[in-house]
Amino acid sequence: MAGVRTSIHGEWSSKLAFVLAATGSAVGLGNIWKFPYVAGQNGGGAFVLIYVACVAIIGVPIMMAEVMLGRRGRQSPINTMRTLAAEEGRSPRWGLLGWMGVLAGFLILSFYSVIAGWALAYVFRTAAGLFDGATADFTAQVFSNLISDPEKLIAWHTLFLIMTMVVVARGVAAGLETAVRFLMPGLFVLLLLLVGYAMAEGQFVHGLQFLFAPDFGKVTPEVILMAMGQAFFSLSLGMGAIMIYGSYLPHDASIARTSIAVASADTLVALIAGLAIFPVVFEYGLQPNAGPGLIFQTLPIAFGQMPGGAFFGTLFFILLVFAAWTSAISLVEPAVAWLVENRGHTRVYAAVVCGMLTWFVGLGTVFSFNLWSDYRLFGRTFFDLLDYLTSNIMLPIGGLLIAIFAGWLMKERSVKEELKMDDSLGYRLWRFLVRYITPVGVGLVFLNVIEVI
Ligand code: PFF
């Protein structure tokens, strides 16, 4: 029976361990690197508002559904979906949802690791005092030197992937808990310090206005799609990462409360990162729509000007690497768990195979910043294309299918048994959101964009 199934990969030591691990997955480059530059490219305020709305009415219900499916299935997302589909009398083809997640995880990790490599490189550049007294021109130059050198990017990408695969090979629970318990609060404190700097030295009010005063004239279907994609990416939804973490969740933990805690922490970190960055952007006459290099060109100026900046800067990039690390692990865990369950491989072997594949695809992202920077496919570089395809298409489709399965295809009795919320108001709200609002919302966004194309 579903109630007594256990995972062969182990279980979190407590409910808190799950919250920490899921927060570790959610909080990463998506909050600190991606959120500010995507908000900057999409006009600020209105985008941010839509993003927060997507987190609340689409993200949280889907997160609850993913955790619920994971805990009930207790296996890799592919096998969880197959097992649950069989139990609920549905087609075994639901396993394909797990496969799509595995593919999305590979594609995301392939570029995620390259960007995390930038953060690694910046640990050393900051520690060496390179940015002391730096101007905006200088930080732009340092960034462009880094990304125009494929050899350097490959070296950092390789190092980051090795770090990730070592943890995955040893099993997710060992190490991850401690890393998240101490390092996440550290990252948070440093972000607050940066906000303090931005208040004192930057154009704070301008930054606030940019982030929080919505200009609805700037809203297009594309902006809505980007905001929704960012919500999925930032919350790690739609590809089975949260599902597999849910599969290690003890039976007595409240799925609703833990999901809300994770989503709130994730959103708070993104907003605070925005508050740290935009005042500096405006103070130094930088462009909010500078793209993927935004934080790498902006924050070093702040570190270069503030007292003790080399120290705080180094610490910041170290913590950013940790945040990226704990997210990267969750991107391959579904694939590794499947290789262990179905092919009988050891975790070590599975991690090596996944690592090599990801490394290879990652070269495309490395080259899209230098050798291939002029090539465009559908008007985008290889990196942009991967990012767009995963965040804006694959994750929302994954989320949509999860919502349909949990809201429409599972027997309500099974859902209730797993969520343990009885017939409370919270349960009814969740059910309403997951059955109607989520599918209709995601569907409408897609339809709108297709119409525009
Ligand atoms: N949520 C991570 C971030 O914001 O950096 C990225 C991510 C991790 C996306 C795991 C998807 C995922 F399954």
Side-chain angles (χ1 to χ4, degrees):
M1 236 348 271
V4 294
R5 214 165 7 232
T6 53
S7 167
I8 62 164
H9 309 284
E11 197 172 271
W12 304 113
S13 58
S14 65
K15 181 180 79 179
L16 181 67
F18 166 78
V19 174
L20 288 170
T23 309
S25 167
V27 175
L29 294 172
N31 308 63
I32 294 162
W33 157 74
K34 195 173 172 192
F35 170 75
Y37 93 74
V38 180
Q41 284 176 330
N42 288 281
F47 169 90
V48 174
L49 195 68
I50 300 169
Y51 161 73
V52 174
C54 285
V55 168
I57 59 178
I58 298 182
V60 172
I62 292 187
M63 187 177 283
M64 287 174 60
E66 260 202 69
V67 178
M68 186 262 291
L69 297 177
R71 184 164 74 180
R72 200 167 175 79
R74 293 270 185 219
Q75 302 155 73
S76 66
I78 298 172
N79 291 330
T80 283
M81 288 313 299
R82 257 199 220 130
T83 309
L84 295 185
E87 268 175 21
E88 303 294 326
R90 305 291 169 184
S91 158
R93 256 177 269 149
W94 277 95
L96 287 175
L97 174 60
W99 279 109
M100 188 174 75
V102 165
L103 180 65
F106 270 119
L107 297 179
I108 295 176
L109 185 59
S110 80
F111 70 78
Y112 204 82
S113 159
V114 175
I115 312 293
W118 300 355
L120 264 176
Y122 269 63
V123 170
F124 297 94
R125 282 164 179 62
T126 318
L130 185 66
F131 298 114
D132 291 349
T135 59
D137 285 342
F138 180 74
T139 58
Q141 191 58 44
V142 172
F143 180 69
S144 127
N145 286 348
L146 174 67
I147 63 166
S148 56
D149 185 341
E151 231 172 86
K152 278 190 198 144
L153 294 191
I154 291 174
W156 293 117
H157 164 55
T158 310
L159 180 61
F160 183 80
L161 264 186
I162 293 176
M163 286 165 51
T164 303
M165 295 308 162
V166 167
V167 178
V168 173
R170 298 181 53 188
V172 164
L176 193 69
E177 251 181 88
T178 345
V180 181
R181 193 185 299 245
F182 295 104
L183 300 173
M184 287 291 149
L187 183 66
F188 195 72
V189 170
L190 272 186
L191 277 174
L192 287 181
L193 179 85
L194 278 168
V195 174
Y197 173 84
M199 272 181 172
E201 304 289 335
Q203 296 196 10
F204 195 67
V205 177
H206 193 168
L208 268 183
Q209 268 170 354
F210 182 77
L211 274 176
F212 296 113
D215 171 0
F216 290 106
K218 291 188 178 145
V219 177
T220 61
E222 184 71 17
V223 168
I224 303 178
L225 179 68
M226 295 297 291
M228 184 177 77
Q230 176 60 21
F232 275 95
F233 183 85
S234 194
L235 296 172
S236 304
L237 293 180
M239 60 143 280
I242 292 292
M243 195 186 289
I244 191 129
Y245 278 10
S247 76
Y248 310 144
L249 182 67
H251 275 291
D252 52 355
S254 153
I255 291 178
R257 244 177 274 143
T258 46
S259 301
I260 291 172
V262 173
S264 313
D266 186 69
T267 310
L268 194 65
V269 173
L271 297 179
I272 290 185
L275 278 181
I277 284 157
F278 285 107
V280 181
V281 168
F282 295 123
E283 178 66 29
Y284 289 93
L286 303 167
Q287 292 306 321
N289 62 356
L294 187 68
I295 68 156
F296 293 96
Q297 297 174 25
T298 312
L299 293 182
I301 307 179
F303 292 128
Q305 310 286 337
M306 68 169 74
F311 172 75
F312 290 123
T314 310
L315 200 60
F316 173 82
F317 283 112
I318 291 177
L319 293 173
L320 182 59
V321 168
F322 269 103
W325 201 1
T326 54
S327 302
I329 292 164
S330 70
L331 283 162
V332 262
E333 182 61 15
V336 168
W338 182 83
L339 284 171
V340 172
E341 284 164 12
N342 287 44
R343 293 279 177 267
H345 295 309
T346 60
R347 286 192 71 92
V348 177
Y349 180 88
V352 171
V353 172
C354 293
M356 293 207 297
L357 224 102
T358 315
W359 183 85
F360 190 70
V361 183
L363 296 182
T365 292
V366 166
F367 297 146
S368 62
F369 290 102
N370 37 67
L371 304 179
W372 298 352
S373 59
D374 291 334
Y375 293 117
R376 292 283 186 283
L377 211 67
F378 303 109
R380 295 172 196 277
T381 62
F382 184 84
F383 156 71
D384 278 335
L385 196 67
L386 270 194
D387 178 27
Y388 191 89
L389 179 74
T390 49
S391 293
N392 299 347
I393 299 176
M394 294 176 84
L395 299 185
I397 289 184
L400 176 69
L401 292 174
I402 288 167
I404 292 177
F405 190 85
W408 292 95
L409 302 183
M410 269 176 96
K411 293 180 215 71
E412 196 174 359
R413 188 167 41 80
S414 320
V415 175
K416 280 188 154 166
E417 196 177 285
E418 204 56 55
L419 281 180
K420 301 191 174 63
M421 293 168 77
D422 299 324
D423 223 1
S424 60
L425 190 65
Y427 170 76
R428 276 180 278 150
L429 180 64
W430 172 80
R431 193 159 167 86
F432 174 73
L433 289 172
V434 102
R435 280 166 74 98
Y436 301 102
I437 302 301
T438 304
V440 171
V442 177
L444 278 182
V445 175
F446 276 141
L447 283 182
N448 248 319
V449 176
I450 291 169
E451 223 164 77
V452 170
I453 295 169

